[in-house]
Amino acid sequence: MTNAFPPNQQFRLAARPSGMPRREDWQFHEEAVGEPPEDGIVVKVLYLSLDPAMRGWMNEGKSYIRPVAIGEVMRAGGLGVVVASRSPRFAVGDYVAGGTGVQRYWSGAADDKGAAFVKIDPRIGGTTAWLNTLGMPGMTAWFGLREVGQPKAGETVVVSGAAGAVGMTVGQLAKHMGCRVVGIAGGLDKCRFVVEQLGFDACIDYKAGPVHAALKEHCPQGVDVYFDNVGGDILDAVLTRINMKARIVICGAISQYNATAQVKGPANYLSLLVNRARMEGMVVFDYAARYPEAVREMAHMIGEGNLKSIEFVTEGFETFPEALLMLFEGRNLGKLVLKVADV
């Protein structure tokens, strides 16, 4: 078995970054592909999901999930094909999605809890959609919006990071629920993408001028639900425009992830008191038992043409350190995916 495949290439965490991760923070490692144990599988990784949360996993300290250890294969979601199996759960040729890590092959127990592999049908939505709308970003959008944001038809929903993986799905789902949807994104191209391709009612370019003034223009009736992916100054600006009983979903804070100074908290938090509003954090893993429900519903929406899954695919496993930075430099329209190999 160990001679059946090329050497497994991996990116392991070599140091905890200060600010933006550098190539020196990674160790490129090669090792033989291990034979699967009894009840185990070997997965050839085809695509890797590049997500803002990965930056947080590189930091030491308590969080919703343990940090990646120094010397450990970098944690990442991936999609691949089973190339060896000693498990009745998966056959050679099955497509699977799960926690592959940043490597070309994954080998281990088929029921490994960290990998949590599930069989997928790449004919539904397209292969890479399973790392986007039908994967963790889509689950985050579905449960964060519906369970925490709880929008009602006719309400105004604002979402930051609107051209990214989670934001693009949040906005489309909110439109489907009968809401007025306003995105916030950086740059004219992203704003056009959000309005013209995704169907948002409006999009605020935070690079073009004060967000507060644009919110006043595009949300004349105030903000009922704010889905926050960026934190920082934009969260502060939205807090000045919220309505009575507004709901703020704290999903991410990409503006803060590479900060070397203390994280900037909301100065306008008293607006929550005045408006009897609620701000609640959301971690997608809390809803893991219900993922099939969301996948089923969104796969149907994709099939009916009511939901778009748009991926920004970059190629080359060896480019992983630079590809990850694209998230923080704002160079992707849609979900950022790294292609590792062909089938």
Side-chain angles (χ1 to χ4, degrees), residues 284-328:
V284 68
F285 303 130
D286 294 343
Y287 300 91
R290 295 175 57 192
Y291 288 175
E293 160 196 335
V295 169
R296 187 167 54 249
E297 292 287 341
M298 287 197 284
H300 178 74
M301 292 176 68
I302 290 172
E304 294 291 312
N306 295 321
L307 183 63
K308 294 180 180 178
S309 186
I310 299 174
E311 293 78 51
F312 186 100
V313 180
T314 185
E315 297 193 25
F317 179 76
E318 66 284 351
T319 69
F320 163 73
E322 292 75 29
L324 182 64
L325 296 184
M326 295 174 71
L327 287 170
F328 309 108

Side-chain angles (χ1 to χ4, degrees), residues 132-147 150-153 155 157 159 165-181 198-201 227 293-295 297-302 306-308:
N132 187 13
T133 307
L134 301 179
M136 190 183 299
M139 302 302 99
T140 303
W142 179 270
F143 292 107
L145 181 67
R146 295 167 65 98
E147 299 293 325
Q150 299 178 356
K152 305 174 186 66
E155 290 189 326
V157 174
V159 55
V166 174
M168 63 179 286
T169 303
V170 167
Q172 291 181 88
L173 291 175
K175 280 296 295 180
H176 191 70
M177 297 171 77
C179 299
R180 172 174 172 77
V181 178
L198 303 180
F200 286 42
D201 293 289
F227 199 105
E293 160 196 335
V295 169
E297 292 287 341
M298 287 197 284
H300 178 74
M301 292 176 68
I302 290 172
N306 295 321
L307 183 63
K308 294 180 180 178

Side-chain angles (χ1 to χ4, degrees), residues 81-149:
V81 61
V82 176
V83 291
S85 177
R86 299 176 66 191
S87 167
R89 289 184 57 202
F90 299 105
V92 171
D94 284 347
Y95 283 82
V96 295
T100 62
V102 183
Q103 56 186 341
R104 290 187 179 274
Y105 289 91
W106 184 97
S107 178
D111 61 355
D112 182 273
K113 291 183 179 179
F117 284 116
V118 293
K119 195 182 303 186
I120 64 167
D121 185 348
R123 296 171 298 180
I124 300 174
T127 305
T128 53
W130 289 91
L131 293 179
N132 187 13
T133 307
L134 301 179
M136 190 183 299
M139 302 302 99
T140 303
W142 179 270
F143 292 107
L145 181 67
R146 295 167 65 98
E147 299 293 325
V148 183

Side-chain angles (χ1 to χ4, degrees), residues 20-337:
M20 284 278 199
R22 303 170 304 159
R23 180 168 274 272
E24 293 77 15
D25 295 323
W26 306 103
Q27 175 198 3
F28 186 78
H29 179 79
E30 285 192 0
E31 63 181 27
V33 178
E35 182 176 352
E38 185 69 31
D39 245 3
I41 56 175
V42 174
V43 176
K44 179 183 180 182
V45 179
L46 304 178
Y47 296 94
L48 288 171
S49 176
L50 303 185
D51 300 291
M54 294 171 74
R55 179 61 185 84
W57 299 340
M58 298 166 72
N59 295 333
E60 196 166 23
K62 184 178 180 182
S63 186
Y64 62 89
I65 189 171
R66 70 166 182 81
V68 176
I70 299 296
E72 183 180 2
V73 175
M74 181 59 197
R75 181 185 296 133
L79 182 152
V81 61
V82 176
V83 291
S85 177
R86 299 176 66 191
S87 167
R89 289 184 57 202
F90 299 105
V92 171
D94 284 347
Y95 283 82
V96 295
T100 62
V102 183
Q103 56 186 341
R104 290 187 179 274
Y105 289 91
W106 184 97
S107 178
D111 61 355
D112 182 273
K113 291 183 179 179
F117 284 116
V118 293
K119 195 182 303 186
I120 64 167
D121 185 348
R123 296 171 298 180
I124 300 174
T127 305
T128 53
W130 289 91
L131 293 179
N132 187 13
T133 307
L134 301 179
M136 190 183 299
M139 302 302 99
T140 303
W142 179 270
F143 292 107
L145 181 67
R146 295 167 65 98
E147 299 293 325
V148 183
Q150 299 178 356
K152 305 174 186 66
E155 290 189 326
T156 296
V157 174
V158 174
V159 55
S160 55
V166 174
M168 63 179 286
T169 303
V170 167
Q172 291 181 88
L173 291 175
K175 280 296 295 180
H176 191 70
M177 297 171 77
C179 299
R180 172 174 172 77
V181 178
V182 177
I184 302 175
L188 184 59
D189 288 344
K190 287 189 176 183
C191 286
R192 283 177 175 162
F193 168 75
V194 161
V195 173
E196 295 174 6
Q197 293 196 45
L198 303 180
F200 286 42
D201 293 289
C203 187
I204 295 167
D205 179 2
Y206 70 81
K207 295 181 177 180
V211 172
H212 180 272
L215 284 167
K216 192 172 182 179
E217 175 188 352
H218 293 295
C219 307
Q221 305 302 315
V223 177
D224 299 295
V225 177
Y226 174 49
F227 199 105
D228 186 30
N229 290 305
V230 302
D233 292 336
I234 290 178
L235 170 59
D236 243 356
V238 177
L239 285 174
T240 67
R241 297 293 302 162
I242 60 174
N243 288 332
M244 191 71 67
K245 296 291 185 180
R247 288 81 68 199
I248 294 90
V249 184
I250 302 298
C251 176
I254 195 170
S255 72
Q256 306 292 298
Y257 289 163
N258 293 298
T260 55
Q262 187 174 3
V263 170
K264 181 178 181 180
N268 295 325
Y269 77 96
L270 286 178
S271 183
L272 299 170
L273 169 63
V274 172
N275 292 289
R276 290 74 152 177
R278 169 169 56 83
M279 182 155 57
E280 183 175 343
M282 184 271 172
V283 174
V284 68
F285 303 130
D286 294 343
Y287 300 91
R290 295 175 57 192
Y291 288 175
E293 160 196 335
V295 169
R296 187 167 54 249
E297 292 287 341
M298 287 197 284
H300 178 74
M301 292 176 68
I302 290 172
E304 294 291 312
N306 295 321
L307 183 63
K308 294 180 180 178
S309 186
I310 299 174
E311 293 78 51
F312 186 100
V313 180
T314 185
E315 297 193 25
F317 179 76
E318 66 284 351
T319 69
F320 163 73
E322 292 75 29
L324 182 64
L325 296 184
M326 295 174 71
L327 287 170
F328 309 108
E329 296 165 351
R331 288 193 280 147
N332 55 300
L333 286 176
K335 172 75 183 81
L336 182 59
V337 173

